[in-house]
Amino acid sequence: MKIDKYKIEEYNQQESSKHTRKLEGLVEEIANYEEILQKLIDFQIAIPSWALGSGGTRFGRFPGGGEPRSLEEKIEDVGLLHTLNQSSGAISLHIPWDVPENYQSIKALAAQHGLAFDAMNSNTFQDQANQALSYKFGSMQHVDKAVRKQAIAHNIEVIKHGVALGSKALTVWLSDGSCFPGQLNFRKAFQRTLESLQEVYAALPSDWKMFVEYKAFEPNFYSTTVGDWGQSFLYATKLGPQAYTLVDLGHHLPNANIEQIVSLLLMEGKLGGFHFNDSKYGDDDLTAGSIKPYQLFLIFSELVEGMDARQMDHASDLGWMIDASHNVKDPLEDLLQSVEAIMIAYAQALLVDRKSLIVAQEENDVAKAQEILQTAFRTDVRPLVAEARLRANGALNPLALYRSLKVREELVKERGSKTVATGL
Ligand code: RM4
Ligand code: MN
Ligand code: MN
């Protein structure tokens, strides 16, 4: 399915006067209005190929129908999102779920939809049908060198797919760890993992980045070999300048101060990328901003402050990705909501009165500092985000238009109601 441009224009026309009215107050209030709008237009968030179908839990899976059956259809789905919001201009692939059969035609299809290929993801947390050795006791940390070699070779293959598609980064998330005390020698597991990662690192093209993603627990429940940002930072530092830490919001222990982690990683030039989602209890992979929107704003506030301190380009110097799973919502609706929540948090962070905040901090004026942050957070920036979308030829309200165009119904008609997308 494709959404015709005129449908978007028609819809925007209908909504135009309501939108203009909402925007008026903001235009007067925001001093660097045009500059902020441009930043919002430039900001793009990559969509994970594995989040386009219904996710499940270990108890069950309830697919909704019309799910993409191939890489081509996944690209089509991200194309639909991007057409609607003009902020989802990239797709992040997971291998072996998304092995392309023909690079040229996949590249051409993505280009048709205005999409780039963001970080490539390797998978050594599952055994594949045709795989010689099992990852039951880990991959890069494994006591058996042959298993480690298999995991290394897989990652190098992922890089090759990525090079052929024009991607510029590899994300390595390892489920390696242990389920019981005594199962693993932590130091040896670390060393073996480091050596394995070093071999993958050596195969990186010079213009590529490697993102080392950490996660506190699951599927291992006693220890994880890349368990927190400190461990990831250690690997990334030992690996070299092309290696960075990747922060997935759902991968922390409860109540972790993620904004502080982000700030320090940026200070050290070691923050590489992001996986956005939200959670209440664990790696819940819920819609970004659905549970803790204030935390998302505080994270963005540190991101903006830290990137500006290093004169970084907000749009291109970090990898911005969603990593989510949808058990009960239409995946495309959920992703539209996630992108919207991310854009809102980013816009609010851009509104923070930095100069006054520095003064308040230097004067230990705690109440003032809070006022400054919350003034930005409590500003309704939705018209501003909508205006950025309008200028980029997206829809004023992507979710409303998605529904009125009956996109899901169309996809079910095209693909059937019993399709299952590859992924988790
Ligand atoms: C993991 C992690 C990775 C993702 C897999 C599917 O929990 O977040 O980024 O590749 O899930
Ligand atoms: Mn992730
Ligand atoms: Mn995760």
Side-chain angles (χ1 to χ4, degrees), residues 301-349:
S301 180
E302 292 304 330
L303 284 170
V304 166
E305 198 270 344
M307 287 189 289
D308 287 349
R310 296 178 69 94
Q311 277 110 44
M312 289 166 74
D313 185 315
H314 295 185
S316 58
D317 284 348
L318 294 185
W320 306 109
M321 294 162 268
I322 289 174
D323 184 1
S325 175
H326 331 279
N327 301 336
V328 294
K329 285 196 234 163
D330 172 339
L332 294 180
E333 292 200 351
D334 194 323
L335 288 162
L336 287 173
Q337 288 182 314
S338 273
V339 172
E340 176 78 4
I342 294 164
M343 296 305 287
I344 287 172
Y346 178 43
Q348 289 166 332

Side-chain angles (χ1 to χ4, degrees), residues 215 248 251 283 323:
K215 176 166 169 169
D248 181 316
H251 287 191
D283 189 21
D323 184 1

Side-chain angles (χ1 to χ4, degrees), residues 288-303:
S290 61
I291 308 269
K292 294 171 289 200
Y294 191 47
Q295 185 194 51
L296 187 60
F297 159 74
L298 293 174
I299 291 168
F300 260 105
S301 180
E302 292 304 330
L303 284 170

Side-chain angles (χ1 to χ4, degrees), residues 50 94 97 121-123 125 171-173 213-215 218-219 246 248 251 275 277 283 285 323 423-424:
W50 60 101
H94 225 305
W97 297 330
N121 299 262
S122 58
N123 179 342
F125 47 88
T171 298
V172 182
W173 172 66
E213 184 175 358
Y214 59 89
K215 176 166 169 169
E218 196 206 18
L246 182 136
D248 181 316
H251 287 191
H275 277 178
N277 49 49
D283 189 21
D285 279 335
D323 184 1
L424 276 187

